Structures are given as structure tokens and as C-alpha cells.
Amino acid sequence: MQKVRYGIVGIGKQGSFYTTLLTKLKFLLKGAQLTALCDISKERRTWAKEHLKKVAVFESYQQMFDSKLIDVVMVETPHYFHSEIAIAAFKSGLNVLCDKPAGVFTKQVEEMNAEATKHPDLLFGMMFNQRTNPLYIRAKEIIDSGKLGELKRIVWIITNWYRPKAYYDQGGWRGTWWGEGGGVLINQCPHQLDLFTYLAGLPVSVTAKTYTKGRAINVENDVTVMCSFANGATGVFITSTHDAPGTNRLEITGDGGKIVIENGKLVFTENAVSEPVFSKENKVFMGKPKTAKKSYRGIIKYLSFVKNPPQHIGILKNYTDYLLGKTDKFLAPGKEGIIGLTFSNAIHLSGWTGKEISIPFSEEAFLVELEKKKEEEKSISAK
Amino acid sequence: MQKVRYGIVGIGKQGSFYTTLLTKLKFLLKGAQLTALCDISKERRTWAKEHLKKVAVFESYQQMFDSKLIDVVMVETPHYFHSEIAIAAFKSGLNVLCDKPAGVFTKQVEEMNAEATKHPDLLFGMMFNQRTNPLYIRAKEIIDSGKLGELKRIVWIITNWYRPKAYYDQGGWRGTWWGEGGGVLINQCPHQLDLFTYLAGLPVSVTAKTYTKGRAINVENDVTVMCSFANGATGVFITSTHDAPGTNRLEITGDGGKIVIENGKLVFTENAVSEPVFSKENKVFMGKPKTAKKSYRGIIKYLSFVKNPPQHIGILKNYTDYLLGKTDKFLAPGKEGIIGLTFSNAIHLSGWTGKEISIPFSEEAFLVELEKKKEEEKSISAK
């Protein structure tokens, strides 16, 4: 392969953002080319035909898949359709770069992953753009190096997803069970839920409170989660779209020290001696381990920016380069999308039922509850 | 009253600390005088007789109460005895300055408060030394001024109470149900549980996980709490004595902005417009309130230090000055001790039962569970 030809399914807010990246920022995405797109909206297709040169425009995705004009399908539809479109793409012999979330419920994502498994020759990626953030890359490096040691605690306060009434007033699928399948967990937080599980692993149990506050929407916009991991470590995850000003602060503590990411900076405070060893050997009544502190600002200079661009371009570049054999490091494998979604579904299920949820949980029970939410929503809308 | 004469019950680690303050730092505590103490330990009484001049030494507290040598009783015994000794002091017509916690369970503290109510002429204080911390004073001022607005969220990560094995190895009552009635909640955290409820109010429901990790003790040393308040606001409280390095970070968000206290600094980010008003009036898709940021370091200069000394001396000075009519602001009323303890007991009860606990809860249910813990402990010790 010399060039990677992309075809986008759905050019709403997110899909049209990628048309911009692929057409206006080509110098950052060598080897990538936008060759086709499709959308069910006539208005959007008309816009595309007028504004995008050398890009074929289709009404149905299957027509685009059969056109032989593309190598990769970018899935940019509402969440519920992600897995069905990805499955159709694999069946058409196409690579897939799916936007987050992987889906709304794990059952459909398992089907997508199963189809992906049948096509080991096709590259399956997920748009986890925050995985290109140098601060989280550094955190992962510290953890993988063993310096943080055994995990004790992870706490993420991610309450700076502020969305005013005007956001939800745009209507359509926003803030609905039928359209999105959830609120802040499914729309804004897939990145953090991915990184939380990427850095700390998938919890084994989840207790959560989910609320809708200060907005005329049906889905949750305020969530507090306590969870525990197989090794006994604990976690807290707090998110909101109505806190102003909000916070984005991640703290991970292990036997070897503590990582804090806040305000564009990572601080790693490393213990001179692993805490359990220190506690055992220390003879001082109130003794504590000596520490050394290292800060990392993660500022990207121009040359590095071109080589390792951040966020969505970073994922697009990595995906393209990997397909072209220019790198052997694949940042966001599609099959990992189910991990953060499993955590997300468990949080919803705990919030809905008021119970602690063990992972794995009953996917059927989740679907029953989700359907109830959709039914409630219908009766609310009908009023 | 010209002088306030103090008598200390119990001169273990904490009681002997106050003998030092009252004898060596007199210039900060004008009007206060240590005139008597009592302890059941002969060794400690001998030490006191040798080292403290003009201080009467008693074996029993009732003898000291009857001696007419003191105006105030400082209660510095193990936690279980706080309320019974305070009640005896009130009955002897003496003022009481009780150390934290007010007691181990709310039922005994209610009896103490009831006795205090019968003696409105006697001053009842609690050693909540963190209430003299200028950062929390400033936080309380901002909240009381209305600038923070309606409470949305409070999150306190207070995991820097590190206690190594050597601490618990000192034995005795440390880390036991029979001796302390709890772990980090009852020994280290009463300050934060007091301030949490002082700043945000008492929650109406509590869901908590309590664990014992990495130490050969019976009581909890790792706690995660989710709670909710009457107005729908939510809170999280995380504490530990085995995290190293730990964190002490308090964040309080309201409609009007956010207060963060960390690393000896308070930052108040104030919204130009209250968030609910902004959300209603704003027309921008992703708009958010404009903010102004103010920092406050709370550094105490020498003169201010003498006038408003911090921590334990601050409480002693305020108590003395209030008794002498030199101030009309009483920082830490004894009857407020029950509020943080109610929160503490609810956390324990939720951790023990695995259930969400509504406040008020059954005090009997709490006592039944506490007795179970003590019984379990006996069988562990007997092994």
C-alpha cells in the first residue's frame, strides 16, 4: 500500500471535522487521503459535493464500501450504529477506524470484536485521541517501567466537561437515551474511561451514583463512582457536565510513588524504597519513605508536533503509518474499545439499580434497564 | 475570672503535649495556667511531680475535680472515656475542653451534650485545632458570604496520614476496636470529618468502603466514601494511613465557583455569573461562565502568630480568651463534635454492612456492629 484511502460514514459535527483534517492538514498526514464519504442527509451530501474536490459522495455506506475507492472506513455516526457499520465494513474487506465509544452496550461491541477477529488482515482502530496526549503516554511509561509499583489507588476528577443549556437545546440525539444511549459517560467520558482502564486495568466491582442535574435532559450529567481492582486497589471517578469551573485531575498511587496529572503537568513523586518494604523495615514511630519529585510538562515543540502530532491527527497519523508499515506501534487497537465501555456500562447499571456491580455483569440485565430508560423517555417526550 | 486554671485528665502523648504548651509557651497563652493533672499511671504521675512545678498531681479525676484547683477540665484519655469524663466534669461544675473525637459512638456523645445543656454557665469546647487553620477559616468565610453559592460538590482526598508498621507496633490501644473504636476515621480524621461537615453540612446519606490494608491491625486504614446532601449536592471523602506519598486536597464547588485547598494554598475561582443563571441565559453552544481567580496562602506573620496562633495553641487561646471575656467568637463549640462523629459512624456502618446509610441512622444498629468487631478482635487476639 502506497496511500491510505479514507472513507467517512457520517459527516455531522465529528465527521466533517475529519474531512477538514484530511483535506486541510495534509502536511501532517502524509500517505492519508480522503477519497469518499457517505451521509443519509441530502443537505450534507450537497455540501460535500460543493466543497470537497476529488471526494466521491454516497448516500449509503454499503455503496461506498463496494466502490473500491477506499481502504479504511471511519465510523462517525451516532453511537448505536458504530458496531453494525464496523461489522459491515469488515465483511466488505475494509479496515476500520471507529470513533468512540465503541458502542452503547458491550453485547454489540463483542459482536464487532468477533467480526474483527475473523479478519486479522484488516486493521481495527479506535479514535482514542487522548492516548496521544504526552502526559498520559508518560504515565503509561512510568507504570509499565514498574516504577509506580503495585497499584493502590486511582482517583480521577473530570468535571470540566461543561455543557450549558444551549448545548442540549441543539436537540436531536443529544442528551437522550434513544439517540446516545447515555449522557456524560457515553458522550464526553469515553476517553477518560479508556485511559482509566488503560492505566489501572478494568475494575472488578463498581458502586456508582448517576444523576441528572440542572438540565432538562433524560440522561445522566453527574456521576460518582467507587470501584475496586483484582489486587485490592481502589478507584474513584467523578464526572459532570454542569460544574463550572470544573476540574481535570488524575492521581495514581502505587507502592513506588504517586503520579498526579493536572493543569497540563505530570508530577511523579517516587519513593526511595517501595512503601511496603519501607513500612516493614522502618523503626521510626512516624517515619515515612523519602521521595524524589519529577515534573513533566508535555509541551510539544514544532518538529515533534509534525512527527508526533497530538489528539485526533495523532491517531489518524499513527493509523496511517501503521498500515503503511512506517511504525510498529499501534496506539489505539479497536478491540480495546470494549474495556472502557464495560466500565461505563457497569457504572450505569450500578447507578440505575442502586447496587454494587461485579464485572463481568449480566449484559442482558444491562439491556433490560437501558430499554426501560428508553421507554420512560418516550412517555416523557409524549407529555 | 482573672486566670483560667486548667486540669488535664491523662498525660499520655497528647496530654503531655498540652502540659508543654501550657508551661513552655505561656507568652502565647496569657491568662491560662496549668494547675493540676491526673493520670492512672504511677510512672506518669512521678514524671509530672518531678518535672512540673506548681502543678498538683492526682490519681483519680474526681479527686482533681473536687480539689477546687481548676476551672477547666481537658479530657485527654482514650476515646471511649471522653464523654463519661466530660459528664463528670460538668456535674462537678467545671468547664470542659474535650479532645477529638467527641466519643466513639453518637449515643454516648448525645448524653454528653445533654449534660452540657444542663449547664449553660459552663463552657464546652472541642479541640478542633484545624478550625484555626487560616485556609479553612477563609473557605468558611467565602461560603458564609454567599459567594460560593449553592453547594454542588465537595471532594476531600486526605491520604497523607501515613502510619508505618512501627506506629502500630507501639501497641496498647492503637489500631484496635477495644481501645480506639476505629482506625483512620476515629483517630486521624476527626479534624477533616469536622471540617467537611462544618463547610458543607452533614450529608443525608453515605455509601462507603472501609478496608484494612498492609498493616497487622483490626481497624480500617483505607476508606472511600460517597455521600449526598439534602439539596442534592454530592461529596467524596478518601482517606488512608498507608498511601505514601499521600495527598491532602479539598475541593468545594458551588453555583458561584470553586474553592481548592492544596499545598498550603487556597484558590477561589469565582464565576462572573452564577452557573444556573449563566446556563439559562447563554446562547453559545459550548459557552461557559467567565471566572476570576484569587489565591490565598494563609501565611502567618509573627505578630499575627502571637495574636492568632494556629492549631492547638489557637484553640487553647480562644477558649481562654472567651472564658475571660476577651473575645466573643468561640471557634470550636463542644456540642458540634457530634456532627463529624455522626458522619464517621455512618461511614463505618456503611462499610461494615455494605449498605447505603441514611442519616439519622439507628444508633443501636451501630453499637451492635461495633460490639461484633470487638468480639471478632478478641478471638483474633486469643489465637
Side-chain angles (χ1 to χ4, degrees):
Chain A
M1 205 181 281
Q2 297 283 316
K3 278 268 180 191
V4 178
R5 301 169 304 159
Y6 284 87
I8 300 177
V9 183
I11 52 162
K13 264 207 166 21
Q14 200 64 19
S16 60
F17 168 60
Y18 298 122
T19 68
T20 306
L21 298 188
L22 286 162
T23 54
K24 310 276 186 199
L25 295 174
K26 279 184 173 177
F27 70 104
L28 290 173
L29 292 169
K30 281 186 185 137
Q33 195 175 6
L34 179 67
T35 49
L37 56 81
C38 64
D39 202 297
I40 51 168
S41 150
K42 192 177 174 184
E43 194 185 337
R44 287 184 188 153
R45 290 198 303 276
T46 306
W47 173 88
K49 282 173 195 164
E50 282 172 13
H51 291 84
L52 301 169
K53 289 170 194 167
K54 297 185 195 168
V55 176
V57 176
F58 296 92
E59 186 174 353
S60 97
Y61 64 74
Q62 196 58 53
Q63 285 169 8
M64 181 172 83
F65 295 174
D66 297 338
S67 70
K68 299 196 192 296
L69 289 173
I70 63 171
D71 305 305
V72 182
V73 175
M74 290 185 74
V75 184
E76 307 303 334
T77 63
H79 313 148
Y80 278 106
F81 305 104
H82 286 185
S83 36
E84 118 185 17
I85 294 169
I87 289 169
F90 290 132
K91 287 186 174 165
S92 302
L94 293 165
N95 303 285
V96 172
L97 177 52
C98 183
D99 218 299
K100 55 84 200 167
V104 174
F105 48 94
T106 52
K107 205 175 172 187
Q108 61 176 186
V109 177
E110 275 166 10
E111 289 165 11
M112 173 171 76
N113 285 357
E115 191 63 35
T117 303
K118 291 185 199 162
H119 305 275
D121 51 315
L122 299 174
L123 188 63
F124 179 29
M126 194 66 54
M127 184 55 85
F128 282 134
N129 45 286
Q130 283 293 336
R131 286 204 188 183
T132 67
N133 183 320
L135 298 174
Y136 303 121
I137 291 174
R138 181 58 62 100
K140 180 73 171 159
E141 283 170 0
I142 293 168
I143 292 166
D144 289 348
S145 74
K147 283 183 184 173
L148 194 73
E150 185 84 1
L151 180 72
K152 283 193 175 189
R153 189 181 311 284
I154 174 168
V155 180
W156 203 332
I157 307 174
I158 171 74
T159 53
N160 68 346
W161 285 121
Y162 188 70
R163 297 292 182 265
K165 180 173 172 291
Y167 172 87
Y168 298 105
D169 281 352
Q170 290 236 340
W173 47 263
R174 272 176 228 286
T176 66
W177 293 110
W178 69 262
E180 292 208 79
V184 64
L185 286 172
I186 211 81
N187 184 307
Q188 284 82 20
C189 278
H191 300 297
Q192 285 76 33
L193 295 170
D194 172 59
L195 289 168
F196 191 96
T197 52
Y198 181 60
L199 297 171
L202 182 62
V204 294
S205 87
V206 170
T207 309
K209 294 278 186 181
T210 55
Y211 304 93
T212 308
K213 293 184 180 178
R215 302 289 182 274
I217 55 175
N218 302 318
V219 295
E220 83 290 346
N221 67 348
D222 188 311
V223 175
T224 304
V225 182
M226 302 193 294
C227 62
S228 59
F229 296 87
N231 75 341
T234 60
V236 164
F237 187 85
I238 304 169
T239 190
S240 155
T241 64
H242 69 100
D243 285 27
T247 294
N248 182 359
R249 183 182 187 279
L250 171 63
E251 156 174 328
I252 313 175
T253 310
D255 288 346
K258 182 173 75 168
I259 293 168
V260 176
I261 299 179
E262 189 176 13
N263 301 324
K265 192 169 77 166
L266 179 152
V267 177
F268 176 42
T269 312
E270 189 175 1
N271 292 328
V273 180
S274 172
E275 187 283 316
V277 176
F278 173 85
S279 177
K280 205 174 156 192
E281 294 177 352
N282 156 72
K283 303 292 174 206
V284 181
F285 181 65
M286 292 269 205
K288 60 182 175 179
K290 283 184 182 150
T291 58
K293 202 177 264 194
K294 279 174 203 159
S295 288
Y296 176 63
R297 285 221 165 256
I299 292 165
I300 297 175
K301 300 226 173 87
Y302 176 75
L303 282 177
S304 166
F305 185 88
V306 173
K307 209 177 157 195
N308 295 306
Q311 299 301 338
H312 306 82
I313 306 177
I315 292 290
L316 272 169
K317 179 171 160 53
N318 176 256
Y319 191 96
T320 306
D321 287 353
Y322 192 84
L323 259 186
L324 295 175
K326 288 191 201 168
T327 178
D328 56 4
K329 197 172 174 183
F330 188 42
L331 288 177
K335 282 188 188 171
E336 294 182 9
I338 200 167
I339 303 173
L341 185 67
T342 301
F343 187 30
S344 173
N345 283 186
I347 296 169
H348 264 134
L349 194 52
S350 178
W352 295 335
T353 61
K355 288 180 184 158
E356 181 166 7
I357 301 297
S358 293
I359 294 174
F361 50 85
S362 160
E363 293 177 325
E364 285 305 324
F366 178 85
L367 283 175
V368 166
E369 295 297 326
L370 180 61
E371 287 306 316
K372 276 189 207 165
K373 290 285 160 190
K374 288 191 200 167
E375 285 303 314
E376 279 170 31
E377 189 168 59
K378 273 185 204 166
S379 59
I380 294 165
S381 311
K383 272 177 197 167
Chain B
M1 205 181 284
Q2 295 284 316
K3 277 270 180 191
V4 179
R5 300 170 305 159
Y6 285 87
I8 301 177
V9 183
I11 52 163
K13 264 206 166 22
Q14 200 65 19
S16 60
F17 168 60
Y18 298 122
T19 67
T20 306
L21 298 187
L22 286 162
T23 54
K24 310 277 187 199
L25 294 174
K26 279 184 172 177
F27 70 104
L28 289 172
L29 292 169
K30 281 184 186 140
Q33 195 175 6
L34 179 67
T35 48
L37 57 81
C38 63
D39 202 295
I40 52 168
S41 150
K42 191 178 175 186
E43 194 186 337
R44 286 183 189 156
R45 291 198 304 275
T46 306
W47 172 89
K49 283 172 194 166
E50 281 172 12
H51 291 84
L52 301 170
K53 290 169 194 169
K54 297 184 197 170
V55 176
V57 177
F58 295 92
E59 186 173 352
S60 97
Y61 63 74
Q62 196 58 52
Q63 284 170 7
M64 182 172 81
F65 295 174
D66 297 338
S67 70
K68 301 199 189 294
L69 290 173
I70 64 171
D71 305 304
V72 182
V73 175
M74 290 185 73
V75 184
E76 307 303 334
T77 63
H79 312 149
Y80 278 105
F81 306 103
H82 286 186
S83 36
E84 121 186 12
I85 294 169
I87 289 169
F90 290 132
K91 287 187 174 164
S92 302
L94 293 166
N95 303 286
V96 172
L97 177 52
C98 183
D99 218 299
K100 54 85 199 166
V104 174
F105 47 93
T106 52
K107 205 174 173 188
Q108 61 176 185
V109 177
E110 276 167 8
E111 288 164 12
M112 174 171 75
N113 284 357
E115 190 63 36
T117 302
K118 290 185 199 162
H119 305 276
D121 51 316
L122 299 175
L123 188 63
F124 179 29
M126 194 65 56
M127 184 54 85
F128 282 134
N129 45 285
Q130 283 293 337
R131 286 203 188 183
T132 67
N133 183 321
L135 299 174
Y136 303 122
I137 291 173
R138 179 59 62 100
K140 180 74 171 158
E141 284 170 1
I142 293 168
I143 292 166
D144 288 348
S145 75
K147 284 183 182 172
L148 194 73
E150 185 85 1
L151 180 72
K152 282 194 174 186
R153 189 181 311 284
I154 174 168
V155 180
W156 203 333
I157 308 174
I158 171 72
T159 52
N160 68 346
W161 286 120
Y162 189 69
R163 297 292 181 265
K165 181 174 171 291
Y167 172 86
Y168 299 105
D169 281 353
Q170 291 237 338
W173 47 262
R174 273 176 227 287
T176 65
W177 293 110
W178 68 264
E180 292 207 80
V184 63
L185 287 171
I186 211 82
N187 184 309
Q188 285 82 22
C189 278
H191 300 296
Q192 285 77 34
L193 296 169
D194 172 58
L195 289 167
F196 191 96
T197 51
Y198 180 61
L199 296 171
L202 182 62
V204 294
S205 86
V206 170
T207 309
K209 294 278 186 181
T210 55
Y211 304 92
T212 308
K213 293 185 180 178
R215 301 290 182 272
I217 54 174
N218 301 318
V219 295
E220 83 290 347
N221 67 348
D222 187 311
V223 174
T224 304
V225 182
M226 302 194 295
C227 62
S228 60
F229 296 87
N231 74 341
T234 59
V236 164
F237 187 84
I238 303 168
T239 191
S240 155
T241 64
H242 69 101
D243 285 28
T247 294
N248 182 359
R249 182 182 187 279
L250 170 64
E251 156 174 328
I252 313 175
T253 310
D255 288 347
K258 181 173 75 166
I259 293 168
V260 176
I261 299 178
E262 189 176 13
N263 300 324
K265 193 170 77 167
L266 179 153
V267 178
F268 177 42
T269 312
E270 188 175 3
N271 292 328
V273 180
S274 172
E275 187 283 317
V277 176
F278 173 85
S279 177
K280 204 175 158 190
E281 293 176 352
N282 157 71
K283 304 291 175 207
V284 181
F285 182 64
M286 292 269 204
K288 59 181 175 179
K290 283 185 182 149
T291 58
K293 201 177 266 196
K294 279 174 203 160
S295 288
Y296 176 62
R297 285 222 166 255
I299 292 165
I300 299 176
K301 299 225 175 88
Y302 176 74
L303 281 177
S304 166
F305 185 88
V306 173
K307 208 176 158 196
N308 295 306
Q311 299 301 336
H312 306 83
I313 306 178
I315 293 291
L316 272 170
K317 180 173 159 52
N318 176 255
Y319 190 96
T320 305
D321 287 353
Y322 192 84
L323 259 186
L324 295 175
K326 288 191 201 167
T327 179
D328 56 3
K329 196 171 175 184
F330 187 42
L331 289 177
K335 282 189 187 170
E336 294 183 9
I338 200 167
I339 304 173
L341 185 68
T342 301
F343 187 30
S344 174
N345 283 185
I347 296 168
H348 264 134
L349 193 53
S350 178
W352 294 336
T353 61
K355 289 181 184 159
E356 182 166 6
I357 301 297
S358 293
I359 294 174
F361 51 85
S362 160
E363 293 177 326
E364 285 305 324
F366 177 84
L367 283 175
V368 166
E369 295 297 326
L370 180 60
E371 288 305 317
K372 277 189 206 165
K373 290 287 162 189
K374 288 190 202 167
E375 286 303 315
E376 278 169 31
E377 188 169 57
K378 274 186 204 166
S379 59
I380 294 166
S381 310
K383 272 177 196 167

